Amino acid sequence: MTKHFNDETFRGDYTYYNSPEAIRRFPFPFDRDSYMYSVNIEQHPGGPAGSPFEYAFDVDEHYVAEMKDRAITLAEDPLRCQSLPHMELAGWDLLELIMEAKARDYPDLFGLHKDGDRWHWINRPLRIDQRFTFLDATTLPYGPMEYITRQAQGDFALLHEREGNLWMDAGMVTSQADWSLDFDVGMNFFEWHAPVPKAKKMGVFDKALKFLLAVQQGQAYRRLNWTMTVNPRLDTSPENYHKWGPEKRTITPQNVGRKQFLRVELQSFWRLPRSNAIVFPIRCYLACLDDLASQPKWGRRLHRVLRDLDPVLVEYKGFAVNRDIIVAHLARYDDGAPTSPGIFPD
Amino acid sequence: MSRQMLLRVTEVEPLTPLVTRFRFEHPERAALPLFSGGAHVVVEMPDDGVLRRNAYSLISDPYDGSGYEIAVRREDTGRGGSRFMHGQVATGTDLRVSLPLNLFALDPRAKKHVLIAGGIGITPFLAQLRQLERLQQPYELHYAARSQAEAAGLKLLPQTAQVHVHISENGDRMDPGALLEGQPIGTHAYVCGPEGLIAAVMDAGARLGWPPSALHAEAFAAPPPGEAFRVTIGSTGAEIEVGPHQSLLEALEAAEVEVDWSCRGGACGRCETGVRACHGRIEHHDHWLSPEERAAQTKIMPCMSRFRGDRLVLDL
C-alpha cells in the first residue's frame, strides 16, 4: 500500500516521475504486438495484487500532486467541472461509491463513518476531515460530484440514461486527452464520439452503447485506451492547446526517451444505484518511453505497435509530427525476440 | 445474466385474493444494494425440476437496503411462476434474486411527474413514490382498478393529496386524456398496466402535442405462450423443442445452451441472438429490435419471441 506521495508537478518544470514500483505496475495497454480498436472490456475491479486493477479506484504515489494540479486547473477555468441540475443525485451516488471504496481499500488513508444520513469523511493524505449530511448539498463546500472528484484521481463523466442513449450531463474533466467537457456537456453518446475516426464505420459505437446500457449495479467493467503526450502534462485540453500544442515541437532524438510519454487511460463503467446513471471514470497514467523500456517486453512491443500503427490513428492520437523520432528511438529496445501474450511485464 | 443474491422471504402478506406481497431480506441481515424507483429484480424459482425466472418490480423504498419487497398477482392460466410464488413460498424460503435493474426510470429533468397505473401495474410506482417524496419533486399518481376488492395498491399507497384512485365498478373510470390535459410544460407522464391503458395514454399524449420523450411506458410482459416449435443450434446442429408454455430462452437453458440475459421481458437487449437461417416467420414480441431488424428476420430475442415455420437456425 502506498504511504509515500511524490512531490512533483504536471506543468511548468514538469518534475513528475515514476518510482521503479510505479513503472512495474504501469497499466501497459498493448496485449500483443499490434493495435486496432476493439471493445477490450473486462470486469473491474480485479487483477494482480499491487496492479492498478486491484481496487475500484487506484490511489498511487501521484495522488496528492494530481489533486493539486486539478485545483490549479479549476481555479483557472471553473467550467472544467459542470453538472446539469438533474444530475445532483448521481453526484451523491458517485460520492458514496468513491468514499466507500477508498475507505474499504485503503483504510490507513481514508475513513468513512455513517450515522444514518450524518456522515464523517476522513482523507488523511489531503488532510480533510468533513462532517456532512448525505443528500444535503448545503453541508459540503462544493456540490457532491465536485467535492469528491477533487479528492479522486482521474476524470469523471456522469452519464444520464434516457431514450435508449447516454447523455454526458455532468463531469469533472481536468486530465483529458484533448477533449472538452464544456463542449460535450449535454451531448449523447454518438455526438460526443463523432470525432473518432474509423470507429463508426466499424460499428464500434453501436456495440459499445448497447454494452453500456446493459451495465448493471454490482457489475463494473474497465477498458484501457491510450495516446501519446509530450511532457507529463495532465491538462492536455483543447482550451489550453496553445500551452501544450507547441511543446510537441520540442522533441529531439536526444530528449525523446524522457520527454515523450505514453498516456494510458484506465476507463471504467459503473451503474449508480439511486440515479440509475452511469459513471465513467477515466484515470490517466503517464510513463516516458525510457521508463517503459526498462521492462524489455514493453520496449520491444511498443516499438512494433507504433511502427506499424495505421497512419489515420497516428494523426488522431496527435503524434504524427514525432512518430519517426519515436520509432527510431524505440528500435534500440527491439531485438526482434518474441513477446509473451498479455499486458504484464515478464 | 445478473449477479444474484440468495435472499430469505421474511414476510408474506395477502393484499387481495389474487395479489400477495413478499419481503426478502439477506439471511445475515446485510444491507442490500439500493436502487431507483421503477427497478425490477428477477426471482429464480426452482419448481419441481423446472427453473423459472420471473421479473418483478420492486415496491419497497429504494433508499432502504434492509429488504426488497414485491407484489405478485396469481395468474392461474400463466406459465407457473406466480403459482409457485403463491403456492410454495412461505416465510423462511430462500430464493435467488438478481440485483435491481431499471428499465422504467423517472426522468429527473421533469418539472412534474404524472404516474398512471392500471391494476397490478401499480407496482413500479410504489417505489417511485418514495423516491419522489424523498427528493421532494412534484407528482401526482392515478391508479385505476376494476373493483375495491381487487385493488391491491390500496393497502400500499399513502393517503395523500397527490394520490388519486379510480375504481371503475364505483363508476369512476380513469380518463387518460383528462389527466394529461392542462399539465404544465415540462411534465413527464409514466404509464404501467394493460396494453389498452398504455395505448390510451400514448394516444392522448400525441393528440395533446406532448414530446414523445416525455411519455414513458412499461408493459409488464411475460413471455407469451404459443404453439410448440423447434430450433436448430448453428454450431452443433442440435435440435431443441420449445413447448407451448415455454419461452425459447427457457428451452435453451434447459438444453444447457448458454445465452446471456437480464430482464427476460424483451426490453434490455442482453439475449439478442443472431439467426443464420429462417424458413418461416419469427413472431417478435420484444421491445428491443427495430422494425427493420424485425423484418429482416436475422435476429431474435429468445426471452419473448417465438417461431412458426419449417426451420430456424440460431447463431449459437
Side-chain angles (χ1 to χ4, degrees), chain A residues 93-125:
Chain A
D93 275 330
L94 177 63
L95 174 141
E96 179 186 50
L97 178 70
I98 294 175
M99 285 186 177
E100 286 194 337
K102 289 195 166 179
R104 179 186 64 233
D105 298 333
Y106 302 95
D108 52 344
L109 302 180
F110 305 94
L112 178 65
H113 308 284
K114 295 183 186 177
D115 175 13
D117 283 344
R118 284 182 302 174
W119 291 22
H120 182 198
W121 166 246
I122 299 161
N123 179 335
R124 292 188 188 88

PDB file of all heavy atoms in Angstrom, chain A residues 93-125:
ATOM      1  N   ASP A  93     -24.522   9.668  -5.597  1.00  0.00           N
ATOM      2  CA  ASP A  93     -24.179   8.259  -5.813  1.00  0.00           C
ATOM      3  C   ASP A  93     -22.672   8.081  -5.997  1.00  0.00           C
ATOM      4  O   ASP A  93     -22.065   7.154  -5.458  1.00  0.00           O
ATOM      5  CB  ASP A  93     -24.873   7.740  -7.088  1.00  0.00           C
ATOM      6  CG  ASP A  93     -26.305   7.260  -6.857  1.00  0.00           C
ATOM      7  OD1 ASP A  93     -26.603   6.784  -5.753  1.00  0.00           O
ATOM      8  OD2 ASP A  93     -27.107   7.332  -7.811  1.00  0.00           O
ATOM      9  N   LEU A  94     -22.099   8.995  -6.774  1.00  0.00           N
ATOM     10  CA  LEU A  94     -20.656   8.887  -7.047  1.00  0.00           C
ATOM     11  C   LEU A  94     -19.860   9.136  -5.771  1.00  0.00           C
ATOM     12  O   LEU A  94     -18.871   8.431  -5.493  1.00  0.00           O
ATOM     13  CB  LEU A  94     -20.259   9.885  -8.143  1.00  0.00           C
ATOM     14  CG  LEU A  94     -18.773   9.909  -8.472  1.00  0.00           C
ATOM     15  CD1 LEU A  94     -18.316   8.558  -9.036  1.00  0.00           C
ATOM     16  CD2 LEU A  94     -18.455  11.023  -9.481  1.00  0.00           C
ATOM     17  N   LEU A  95     -20.283  10.133  -5.012  1.00  0.00           N
ATOM     18  CA  LEU A  95     -19.597  10.419  -3.746  1.00  0.00           C
ATOM     19  C   LEU A  95     -19.599   9.176  -2.852  1.00  0.00           C
ATOM     20  O   LEU A  95     -18.567   8.798  -2.281  1.00  0.00           O
ATOM     21  CB  LEU A  95     -20.278  11.609  -3.072  1.00  0.00           C
ATOM     22  CG  LEU A  95     -19.807  11.999  -1.667  1.00  0.00           C
ATOM     23  CD1 LEU A  95     -19.786  13.522  -1.534  1.00  0.00           C
ATOM     24  CD2 LEU A  95     -20.686  11.407  -0.572  1.00  0.00           C
ATOM     25  N   GLU A  96     -20.736   8.529  -2.763  1.00  0.00           N
ATOM     26  CA  GLU A  96     -20.818   7.342  -1.912  1.00  0.00           C
ATOM     27  C   GLU A  96     -19.928   6.223  -2.456  1.00  0.00           C
ATOM     28  O   GLU A  96     -19.197   5.560  -1.710  1.00  0.00           O
ATOM     29  CB  GLU A  96     -22.266   6.857  -1.834  1.00  0.00           C
ATOM     30  CG  GLU A  96     -22.422   5.602  -0.973  1.00  0.00           C
ATOM     31  CD  GLU A  96     -23.840   5.051  -1.017  1.00  0.00           C
ATOM     32  OE1 GLU A  96     -24.386   4.884  -2.127  1.00  0.00           O
ATOM     33  OE2 GLU A  96     -24.397   4.786   0.052  1.00  0.00           O
ATOM     34  N   LEU A  97     -19.988   6.016  -3.777  1.00  0.00           N
ATOM     35  CA  LEU A  97     -19.187   4.950  -4.391  1.00  0.00           C
ATOM     36  C   LEU A  97     -17.705   5.141  -4.088  1.00  0.00           C
ATOM     37  O   LEU A  97     -17.001   4.203  -3.681  1.00  0.00           O
ATOM     38  CB  LEU A  97     -19.434   4.947  -5.908  1.00  0.00           C
ATOM     39  CG  LEU A  97     -18.641   3.939  -6.723  1.00  0.00           C
ATOM     40  CD1 LEU A  97     -19.140   2.522  -6.445  1.00  0.00           C
ATOM     41  CD2 LEU A  97     -18.754   4.233  -8.225  1.00  0.00           C
ATOM     42  N   ILE A  98     -17.223   6.363  -4.278  1.00  0.00           N
ATOM     43  CA  ILE A  98     -15.790   6.613  -4.099  1.00  0.00           C
ATOM     44  C   ILE A  98     -15.405   6.551  -2.621  1.00  0.00           C
ATOM     45  O   ILE A  98     -14.411   5.929  -2.248  1.00  0.00           O
ATOM     46  CB  ILE A  98     -15.399   7.967  -4.725  1.00  0.00           C
ATOM     47  CG1 ILE A  98     -15.567   7.904  -6.249  1.00  0.00           C
ATOM     48  CG2 ILE A  98     -13.959   8.330  -4.353  1.00  0.00           C
ATOM     49  CD1 ILE A  98     -15.311   9.226  -6.955  1.00  0.00           C
ATOM     50  N   MET A  99     -16.213   7.191  -1.768  1.00  0.00           N
ATOM     51  CA  MET A  99     -15.865   7.180  -0.344  1.00  0.00           C
ATOM     52  C   MET A  99     -15.848   5.757   0.209  1.00  0.00           C
ATOM     53  O   MET A  99     -14.933   5.375   0.938  1.00  0.00           O
ATOM     54  CB  MET A  99     -16.860   8.036   0.452  1.00  0.00           C
ATOM     55  CG  MET A  99     -16.644   9.529   0.274  1.00  0.00           C
ATOM     56  SD  MET A  99     -17.732  10.472   1.384  1.00  0.00           S
ATOM     57  CE  MET A  99     -17.189  12.150   1.004  1.00  0.00           C
ATOM     58  N   GLU A 100     -16.868   4.982  -0.134  1.00  0.00           N
ATOM     59  CA  GLU A 100     -16.907   3.611   0.389  1.00  0.00           C
ATOM     60  C   GLU A 100     -15.732   2.796  -0.131  1.00  0.00           C
ATOM     61  O   GLU A 100     -15.120   2.025   0.617  1.00  0.00           O
ATOM     62  CB  GLU A 100     -18.229   2.945   0.008  1.00  0.00           C
ATOM     63  CG  GLU A 100     -19.399   3.476   0.816  1.00  0.00           C
ATOM     64  CD  GLU A 100     -20.647   2.624   0.705  1.00  0.00           C
ATOM     65  OE1 GLU A 100     -20.769   1.899  -0.303  1.00  0.00           O
ATOM     66  OE2 GLU A 100     -21.483   2.687   1.620  1.00  0.00           O
ATOM     67  N   ALA A 101     -15.412   2.957  -1.412  1.00  0.00           N
ATOM     68  CA  ALA A 101     -14.321   2.166  -1.990  1.00  0.00           C
ATOM     69  C   ALA A 101     -12.982   2.538  -1.352  1.00  0.00           C
ATOM     70  O   ALA A 101     -12.184   1.670  -0.982  1.00  0.00           O
ATOM     71  CB  ALA A 101     -14.271   2.378  -3.505  1.00  0.00           C
ATOM     72  N   LYS A 102     -12.743   3.842  -1.199  1.00  0.00           N
ATOM     73  CA  LYS A 102     -11.444   4.256  -0.658  1.00  0.00           C
ATOM     74  C   LYS A 102     -11.299   3.856   0.805  1.00  0.00           C
ATOM     75  O   LYS A 102     -10.231   3.422   1.235  1.00  0.00           O
ATOM     76  CB  LYS A 102     -11.265   5.766  -0.830  1.00  0.00           C
ATOM     77  CG  LYS A 102     -11.042   6.147  -2.282  1.00  0.00           C
ATOM     78  CD  LYS A 102     -10.502   7.550  -2.448  1.00  0.00           C
ATOM     79  CE  LYS A 102      -9.995   7.675  -3.883  1.00  0.00           C
ATOM     80  NZ  LYS A 102      -9.467   8.981  -4.192  1.00  0.00           N
ATOM     81  N   ALA A 103     -12.395   4.016   1.569  1.00  0.00           N
ATOM     82  CA  ALA A 103     -12.321   3.643   2.988  1.00  0.00           C
ATOM     83  C   ALA A 103     -12.116   2.135   3.133  1.00  0.00           C
ATOM     84  O   ALA A 103     -11.438   1.672   4.048  1.00  0.00           O
ATOM     85  CB  ALA A 103     -13.592   4.090   3.698  1.00  0.00           C
ATOM     86  N   ARG A 104     -12.696   1.357   2.220  1.00  0.00           N
ATOM     87  CA  ARG A 104     -12.572  -0.107   2.290  1.00  0.00           C
ATOM     88  C   ARG A 104     -11.184  -0.570   1.826  1.00  0.00           C
ATOM     89  O   ARG A 104     -10.552  -1.414   2.458  1.00  0.00           O
ATOM     90  CB  ARG A 104     -13.642  -0.731   1.385  1.00  0.00           C
ATOM     91  CG  ARG A 104     -13.623  -2.244   1.321  1.00  0.00           C
ATOM     92  CD  ARG A 104     -14.638  -2.741   0.285  1.00  0.00           C
ATOM     93  NE  ARG A 104     -14.293  -2.306  -1.059  1.00  0.00           N
ATOM     94  CZ  ARG A 104     -15.130  -1.665  -1.880  1.00  0.00           C
ATOM     95  NH1 ARG A 104     -16.345  -1.350  -1.490  1.00  0.00           N
ATOM     96  NH2 ARG A 104     -14.720  -1.313  -3.100  1.00  0.00           N
ATOM     97  N   ASP A 105     -10.701   0.022   0.728  1.00  0.00           N
ATOM     98  CA  ASP A 105      -9.478  -0.485   0.102  1.00  0.00           C
ATOM     99  C   ASP A 105      -8.204   0.122   0.690  1.00  0.00           C
ATOM    100  O   ASP A 105      -7.141  -0.489   0.622  1.00  0.00           O
ATOM    101  CB  ASP A 105      -9.520  -0.214  -1.408  1.00  0.00           C
ATOM    102  CG  ASP A 105     -10.680  -0.935  -2.084  1.00  0.00           C
ATOM    103  OD1 ASP A 105     -11.110  -1.977  -1.563  1.00  0.00           O
ATOM    104  OD2 ASP A 105     -11.157  -0.459  -3.132  1.00  0.00           O
ATOM    105  N   TYR A 106      -8.308   1.314   1.246  1.00  0.00           N
ATOM    106  CA  TYR A 106      -7.130   1.999   1.815  1.00  0.00           C
ATOM    107  C   TYR A 106      -7.471   2.513   3.219  1.00  0.00           C
ATOM    108  O   TYR A 106      -7.478   3.715   3.459  1.00  0.00           O
ATOM    109  CB  TYR A 106      -6.710   3.168   0.915  1.00  0.00           C
ATOM    110  CG  TYR A 106      -6.390   2.778  -0.503  1.00  0.00           C
ATOM    111  CD1 TYR A 106      -7.352   2.862  -1.499  1.00  0.00           C
ATOM    112  CD2 TYR A 106      -5.118   2.328  -0.859  1.00  0.00           C
ATOM    113  CE1 TYR A 106      -7.064   2.506  -2.812  1.00  0.00           C
ATOM    114  CE2 TYR A 106      -4.815   1.973  -2.167  1.00  0.00           C
ATOM    115  CZ  TYR A 106      -5.795   2.065  -3.142  1.00  0.00           C
ATOM    116  OH  TYR A 106      -5.509   1.719  -4.431  1.00  0.00           O
ATOM    117  N   PRO A 107      -7.742   1.596   4.143  1.00  0.00           N
ATOM    118  CA  PRO A 107      -8.239   2.047   5.459  1.00  0.00           C
ATOM    119  C   PRO A 107      -7.230   2.898   6.226  1.00  0.00           C
ATOM    120  O   PRO A 107      -7.629   3.659   7.111  1.00  0.00           O
ATOM    121  CB  PRO A 107      -8.538   0.731   6.190  1.00  0.00           C
ATOM    122  CG  PRO A 107      -7.788  -0.327   5.454  1.00  0.00           C
ATOM    123  CD  PRO A 107      -7.657   0.132   4.045  1.00  0.00           C
ATOM    124  N   ASP A 108      -5.938   2.794   5.906  1.00  0.00           N
ATOM    125  CA  ASP A 108      -4.997   3.652   6.635  1.00  0.00           C
ATOM    126  C   ASP A 108      -4.918   5.058   6.036  1.00  0.00           C
ATOM    127  O   ASP A 108      -4.332   5.952   6.637  1.00  0.00           O
ATOM    128  CB  ASP A 108      -3.604   3.011   6.701  1.00  0.00           C
ATOM    129  CG  ASP A 108      -3.112   2.589   5.337  1.00  0.00           C
ATOM    130  OD1 ASP A 108      -3.945   2.501   4.412  1.00  0.00           O
ATOM    131  OD2 ASP A 108      -1.897   2.362   5.180  1.00  0.00           O
ATOM    132  N   LEU A 109      -5.520   5.257   4.880  1.00  0.00           N
ATOM    133  CA  LEU A 109      -5.510   6.583   4.259  1.00  0.00           C
ATOM    134  C   LEU A 109      -6.849   7.301   4.376  1.00  0.00           C
ATOM    135  O   LEU A 109      -6.900   8.528   4.459  1.00  0.00           O
ATOM    136  CB  LEU A 109      -5.151   6.480   2.765  1.00  0.00           C
ATOM    137  CG  LEU A 109      -3.809   5.833   2.420  1.00  0.00           C
ATOM    138  CD1 LEU A 109      -3.620   5.824   0.910  1.00  0.00           C
ATOM    139  CD2 LEU A 109      -2.662   6.573   3.086  1.00  0.00           C
ATOM    140  N   PHE A 110      -7.956   6.525   4.337  1.00  0.00           N
ATOM    141  CA  PHE A 110      -9.284   7.131   4.290  1.00  0.00           C
ATOM    142  C   PHE A 110     -10.198   6.478   5.320  1.00  0.00           C
ATOM    143  O   PHE A 110     -10.050   5.291   5.625  1.00  0.00           O
ATOM    144  CB  PHE A 110      -9.919   6.955   2.897  1.00  0.00           C
ATOM    145  CG  PHE A 110      -9.077   7.478   1.779  1.00  0.00           C
ATOM    146  CD1 PHE A 110      -8.206   6.641   1.078  1.00  0.00           C
ATOM    147  CD2 PHE A 110      -9.142   8.817   1.420  1.00  0.00           C
ATOM    148  CE1 PHE A 110      -7.423   7.130   0.050  1.00  0.00           C
ATOM    149  CE2 PHE A 110      -8.359   9.315   0.381  1.00  0.00           C
ATOM    150  CZ  PHE A 110      -7.493   8.463  -0.302  1.00  0.00           C
ATOM    151  N   GLY A 111     -11.163   7.247   5.824  1.00  0.00           N
ATOM    152  CA  GLY A 111     -12.152   6.693   6.741  1.00  0.00           C
ATOM    153  C   GLY A 111     -13.530   7.254   6.447  1.00  0.00           C
ATOM    154  O   GLY A 111     -13.666   8.432   6.084  1.00  0.00           O
ATOM    155  N   LEU A 112     -14.545   6.412   6.567  1.00  0.00           N
ATOM    156  CA  LEU A 112     -15.923   6.868   6.374  1.00  0.00           C
ATOM    157  C   LEU A 112     -16.775   6.294   7.496  1.00  0.00           C
ATOM    158  O   LEU A 112     -16.806   5.079   7.698  1.00  0.00           O
ATOM    159  CB  LEU A 112     -16.464   6.397   5.014  1.00  0.00           C
ATOM    160  CG  LEU A 112     -17.924   6.774   4.733  1.00  0.00           C
ATOM    161  CD1 LEU A 112     -18.082   8.285   4.626  1.00  0.00           C
ATOM    162  CD2 LEU A 112     -18.419   6.103   3.456  1.00  0.00           C
ATOM    163  N   HIS A 113     -17.465   7.159   8.215  1.00  0.00           N
ATOM    164  CA  HIS A 113     -18.339   6.728   9.309  1.00  0.00           C
ATOM    165  C   HIS A 113     -19.719   7.287   9.055  1.00  0.00           C
ATOM    166  O   HIS A 113     -19.875   8.486   8.844  1.00  0.00           O
ATOM    167  CB  HIS A 113     -17.784   7.218  10.650  1.00  0.00           C
ATOM    168  CG  HIS A 113     -16.343   6.850  10.836  1.00  0.00           C
ATOM    169  ND1 HIS A 113     -15.942   5.580  11.153  1.00  0.00           N
ATOM    170  CD2 HIS A 113     -15.221   7.586  10.660  1.00  0.00           C
ATOM    171  CE1 HIS A 113     -14.605   5.544  11.207  1.00  0.00           C
ATOM    172  NE2 HIS A 113     -14.154   6.750  10.910  1.00  0.00           N
ATOM    173  N   LYS A 114     -20.714   6.379   9.063  1.00  0.00           N
ATOM    174  CA  LYS A 114     -22.083   6.810   8.759  1.00  0.00           C
ATOM    175  C   LYS A 114     -22.958   6.621   9.990  1.00  0.00           C
ATOM    176  O   LYS A 114     -22.944   5.572  10.611  1.00  0.00           O
ATOM    177  CB  LYS A 114     -22.674   5.945   7.647  1.00  0.00           C
ATOM    178  CG  LYS A 114     -22.008   6.074   6.308  1.00  0.00           C
ATOM    179  CD  LYS A 114     -22.774   5.195   5.314  1.00  0.00           C
ATOM    180  CE  LYS A 114     -22.094   5.151   3.968  1.00  0.00           C
ATOM    181  NZ  LYS A 114     -22.795   4.243   3.041  1.00  0.00           N
ATOM    182  N   ASP A 115     -23.749   7.646  10.292  1.00  0.00           N
ATOM    183  CA  ASP A 115     -24.777   7.525  11.312  1.00  0.00           C
ATOM    184  C   ASP A 115     -26.061   8.011  10.641  1.00  0.00           C
ATOM    185  O   ASP A 115     -26.367   9.200  10.646  1.00  0.00           O
ATOM    186  CB  ASP A 115     -24.392   8.388  12.520  1.00  0.00           C
ATOM    187  CG  ASP A 115     -25.481   8.401  13.578  1.00  0.00           C
ATOM    188  OD1 ASP A 115     -26.411   7.564  13.498  1.00  0.00           O
ATOM    189  OD2 ASP A 115     -25.432   9.277  14.461  1.00  0.00           O
ATOM    190  N   GLY A 116     -26.766   7.085   9.998  1.00  0.00           N
ATOM    191  CA  GLY A 116     -27.898   7.492   9.165  1.00  0.00           C
ATOM    192  C   GLY A 116     -27.391   8.347   8.025  1.00  0.00           C
ATOM    193  O   GLY A 116     -26.481   7.956   7.306  1.00  0.00           O
ATOM    194  N   ASP A 117     -27.982   9.536   7.888  1.00  0.00           N
ATOM    195  CA  ASP A 117     -27.543  10.446   6.830  1.00  0.00           C
ATOM    196  C   ASP A 117     -26.401  11.352   7.283  1.00  0.00           C
ATOM    197  O   ASP A 117     -25.914  12.163   6.498  1.00  0.00           O
ATOM    198  CB  ASP A 117     -28.722  11.327   6.373  1.00  0.00           C
ATOM    199  CG  ASP A 117     -29.676  10.549   5.470  1.00  0.00           C
ATOM    200  OD1 ASP A 117     -29.273   9.482   4.965  1.00  0.00           O
ATOM    201  OD2 ASP A 117     -30.812  11.013   5.280  1.00  0.00           O
ATOM    202  N   ARG A 118     -26.005  11.222   8.535  1.00  0.00           N
ATOM    203  CA  ARG A 118     -24.885  12.047   9.005  1.00  0.00           C
ATOM    204  C   ARG A 118     -23.587  11.289   8.804  1.00  0.00           C
ATOM    205  O   ARG A 118     -23.372  10.238   9.421  1.00  0.00           O
ATOM    206  CB  ARG A 118     -25.094  12.437  10.472  1.00  0.00           C
ATOM    207  CG  ARG A 118     -26.144  13.536  10.625  1.00  0.00           C
ATOM    208  CD  ARG A 118     -26.313  13.953  12.051  1.00  0.00           C
ATOM    209  NE  ARG A 118     -26.685  12.810  12.879  1.00  0.00           N
ATOM    210  CZ  ARG A 118     -26.788  12.856  14.198  1.00  0.00           C
ATOM    211  NH1 ARG A 118     -26.518  13.959  14.840  1.00  0.00           N
ATOM    212  NH2 ARG A 118     -27.150  11.782  14.871  1.00  0.00           N
ATOM    213  N   TRP A 119     -22.762  11.799   7.917  1.00  0.00           N
ATOM    214  CA  TRP A 119     -21.545  11.104   7.522  1.00  0.00           C
ATOM    215  C   TRP A 119     -20.312  11.879   7.992  1.00  0.00           C
ATOM    216  O   TRP A 119     -20.333  13.108   8.096  1.00  0.00           O
ATOM    217  CB  TRP A 119     -21.477  10.961   5.986  1.00  0.00           C
ATOM    218  CG  TRP A 119     -22.499  10.014   5.412  1.00  0.00           C
ATOM    219  CD1 TRP A 119     -23.681   9.617   5.967  1.00  0.00           C
ATOM    220  CD2 TRP A 119     -22.414   9.345   4.144  1.00  0.00           C
ATOM    221  NE1 TRP A 119     -24.332   8.759   5.124  1.00  0.00           N
ATOM    222  CE2 TRP A 119     -23.595   8.567   4.007  1.00  0.00           C
ATOM    223  CE3 TRP A 119     -21.474   9.325   3.113  1.00  0.00           C
ATOM    224  CZ2 TRP A 119     -23.837   7.789   2.870  1.00  0.00           C
ATOM    225  CZ3 TRP A 119     -21.717   8.559   1.988  1.00  0.00           C
ATOM    226  CH2 TRP A 119     -22.884   7.791   1.879  1.00  0.00           C
ATOM    227  N   HIS A 120     -19.247  11.123   8.234  1.00  0.00           N
ATOM    228  CA  HIS A 120     -17.967  11.702   8.625  1.00  0.00           C
ATOM    229  C   HIS A 120     -16.898  11.108   7.726  1.00  0.00           C
ATOM    230  O   HIS A 120     -16.679   9.897   7.733  1.00  0.00           O
ATOM    231  CB  HIS A 120     -17.683  11.389  10.106  1.00  0.00           C
ATOM    232  CG  HIS A 120     -16.396  11.983  10.599  1.00  0.00           C
ATOM    233  ND1 HIS A 120     -15.778  11.549  11.741  1.00  0.00           N
ATOM    234  CD2 HIS A 120     -15.612  12.971  10.094  1.00  0.00           C
ATOM    235  CE1 HIS A 120     -14.665  12.245  11.931  1.00  0.00           C
ATOM    236  NE2 HIS A 120     -14.537  13.116  10.946  1.00  0.00           N
ATOM    237  N   TRP A 121     -16.253  11.962   6.958  1.00  0.00           N
ATOM    238  CA  TRP A 121     -15.269  11.519   5.954  1.00  0.00           C
ATOM    239  C   TRP A 121     -13.895  12.022   6.337  1.00  0.00           C
ATOM    240  O   TRP A 121     -13.730  13.209   6.668  1.00  0.00           O
ATOM    241  CB  TRP A 121     -15.687  12.071   4.577  1.00  0.00           C
ATOM    242  CG  TRP A 121     -14.653  12.013   3.495  1.00  0.00           C
ATOM    243  CD1 TRP A 121     -14.058  13.081   2.882  1.00  0.00           C
ATOM    244  CD2 TRP A 121     -14.112  10.840   2.847  1.00  0.00           C
ATOM    245  NE1 TRP A 121     -13.200  12.652   1.904  1.00  0.00           N
ATOM    246  CE2 TRP A 121     -13.210  11.290   1.868  1.00  0.00           C
ATOM    247  CE3 TRP A 121     -14.311   9.473   3.023  1.00  0.00           C
ATOM    248  CZ2 TRP A 121     -12.497  10.404   1.042  1.00  0.00           C
ATOM    249  CZ3 TRP A 121     -13.604   8.606   2.206  1.00  0.00           C
ATOM    250  CH2 TRP A 121     -12.716   9.065   1.226  1.00  0.00           C
ATOM    251  N   ILE A 122     -12.931  11.121   6.323  1.00  0.00           N
ATOM    252  CA  ILE A 122     -11.553  11.486   6.659  1.00  0.00           C
ATOM    253  C   ILE A 122     -10.656  11.119   5.482  1.00  0.00           C
ATOM    254  O   ILE A 122     -10.654   9.968   5.026  1.00  0.00           O
ATOM    255  CB  ILE A 122     -11.078  10.748   7.924  1.00  0.00           C
ATOM    256  CG1 ILE A 122     -11.963  11.141   9.114  1.00  0.00           C
ATOM    257  CG2 ILE A 122      -9.617  11.059   8.219  1.00  0.00           C
ATOM    258  CD1 ILE A 122     -11.875  10.163  10.260  1.00  0.00           C
ATOM    259  N   ASN A 123      -9.913  12.105   5.001  1.00  0.00           N
ATOM    260  CA  ASN A 123      -8.957  11.905   3.916  1.00  0.00           C
ATOM    261  C   ASN A 123      -7.597  12.345   4.435  1.00  0.00           C
ATOM    262  O   ASN A 123      -7.287  13.539   4.465  1.00  0.00           O
ATOM    263  CB  ASN A 123      -9.406  12.731   2.700  1.00  0.00           C
ATOM    264  CG  ASN A 123      -8.453  12.589   1.527  1.00  0.00           C
ATOM    265  OD1 ASN A 123      -7.276  12.280   1.693  1.00  0.00           O
ATOM    266  ND2 ASN A 123      -8.959  12.829   0.329  1.00  0.00           N
ATOM    267  N   ARG A 124      -6.795  11.383   4.893  1.00  0.00           N
ATOM    268  CA  ARG A 124      -5.539  11.747   5.568  1.00  0.00           C
ATOM    269  C   ARG A 124      -4.509  12.345   4.609  1.00  0.00           C
ATOM    270  O   ARG A 124      -3.879  13.345   4.952  1.00  0.00           O
ATOM    271  CB  ARG A 124      -4.964  10.538   6.306  1.00  0.00           C
ATOM    272  CG  ARG A 124      -5.846  10.152   7.493  1.00  0.00           C
ATOM    273  CD  ARG A 124      -5.268   9.075   8.395  1.00  0.00           C
ATOM    274  NE  ARG A 124      -6.296   8.676   9.353  1.00  0.00           N
ATOM    275  CZ  ARG A 124      -7.193   7.722   9.125  1.00  0.00           C
ATOM    276  NH1 ARG A 124      -7.142   7.030   7.994  1.00  0.00           N
ATOM    277  NH2 ARG A 124      -8.116   7.443  10.010  1.00  0.00           N
ATOM    278  N   PRO A 125      -4.316  11.792   3.388  1.00  0.00           N
ATOM    279  CA  PRO A 125      -3.288  12.392   2.515  1.00  0.00           C
ATOM    280  C   PRO A 125      -3.562  13.867   2.207  1.00  0.00           C
ATOM    281  O   PRO A 125      -2.635  14.655   2.089  1.00  0.00           O
ATOM    282  CB  PRO A 125      -3.382  11.545   1.233  1.00  0.00           C
ATOM    283  CG  PRO A 125      -3.966  10.240   1.667  1.00  0.00           C
ATOM    284  CD  PRO A 125      -4.877  10.562   2.815  1.00  0.00           C
TER     285      PRO A 125
END
